[in-house]
Amino acid sequence: MSTDEPTSADDPTSADDATSADDPTPTGRRLFWFTLVVAALVVLVDQGTKLWAETALADGQTVPVIGDLIRFVLVYNPGAAFSIGTEFTWVLAVLAAAAVVGLAWFAWSLRSVGWMVAIGLVLGGAATHLGDRLFREPGFGRGHVVDFIGYGNLFVGNVADIAIFSGAVLILLLTLRGIATGRSASVS
C-alpha cells in the first residue's frame, strides 16, 4: 500500500502545490486573465441584451416569455435589488466600484478554475452595473440600471443579475464542498 496517493489539484496543501503556493506561477496568472475573460463576456452579453431591450421594448410593450411567470419589460432602476435605495444611486456606484476593485484583487492569485469562474461571473456583473451607474442617464454616478427580465410580479432584473446570482451560488457550492481558492498565504 502506497502512502503517496494523489491529492486534489485544488488543495493548496498538496505536495505539488506546496512550492507553487507562494510563487506567482504562470498558471495562476493565466487564471486571472481567464477570470477577466469570463467577466468581459458577462459585460458584453449584459450590455448587448440591454441594447436589445431598449430598442425592442422602448414603446412600453411587455413580451410574455413563459406566460406571466417570465416576461420582457423595460425598466430603468435607480436603486439596488428590488429598487431599494433609489435615492442613493451614487452610493451604489461607489459600492460597485469597490466591488470591482476588490474582486479583481482577489482574482489576481486564484489557482482554482471553479473559483475563477465564480469570481468572473460576479466581477462581470458588478462591472456592468458600475458602467450603468457611471454612464447612463440621468448622469455620471447617478445612472439607472436597465432591467428587462420580469419574474412574475416579484422583480425585474437583467443578465448581470443572473451572473451575480450564479456566481454567488457557485461560491457557496465551492465553499460547502471545501474547494480551496488556491490563493497563496502571502497574498491573502
Side-chain angles (χ1 to χ4, degrees):
M1 243 197 200
S2 172
T3 58
D4 297 330
E5 295 178 20
T7 59
S8 169
D10 288 328
D11 183 4
T13 61
S14 71
D16 292 339
D17 291 339
T19 57
S20 65
D22 293 329
D23 298 330
T25 63
T27 302
R29 296 302 174 242
R30 263 183 293 201
L31 284 182
F32 173 73
W33 295 110
F34 287 133
T35 302
L36 293 184
V37 167
V38 170
L41 287 172
V42 169
V43 170
L44 288 172
V45 172
D46 181 69
Q47 290 299 314
T49 56
K50 286 176 180 177
L51 179 64
W52 168 82
E54 287 186 303
T55 56
L57 305 171
D59 60 359
Q61 91 180 69
T62 298
V63 177
V65 177
I66 303 175
D68 289 334
L69 184 62
I70 305 288
R71 67 192 189 296
F72 293 144
V73 57
L74 183 62
V75 174
Y76 293 94
N77 183 0
F82 304 105
S83 296
I84 296 170
T86 57
E87 61 277 0
F88 299 108
T89 302
W90 68 273
V91 174
L92 298 173
V94 170
L95 291 174
V100 167
V101 170
L103 288 164
W105 175 82
F106 184 78
W108 180 250
S109 60
L110 286 176
R111 287 179 174 71
S112 163
V113 174
W115 278 93
M116 176 271 305
V117 171
I119 298 302
L121 288 168
V122 177
L123 176 60
T128 194
H129 277 249
L130 175 61
D132 285 354
R133 299 283 180 212
L134 293 179
F135 303 115
R136 290 197 182 269
E137 294 296 328
F140 186 80
R142 297 175 294 121
H144 297 175
V145 172
V146 176
D147 289 332
F148 65 94
I149 305 170
Y151 299 92
N153 291 323
L154 299 174
F155 62 94
V156 180
N158 55 45
V159 171
D161 297 331
I162 295 169
I164 291 169
F165 179 78
S166 299
V169 168
L170 185 54
I171 288 169
L172 178 64
L173 292 174
L174 291 167
T175 302
L176 290 175
R177 292 198 56 210
I179 297 175
T181 63
R183 297 183 81 224
S184 66
S186 63
V187 178
S188 54

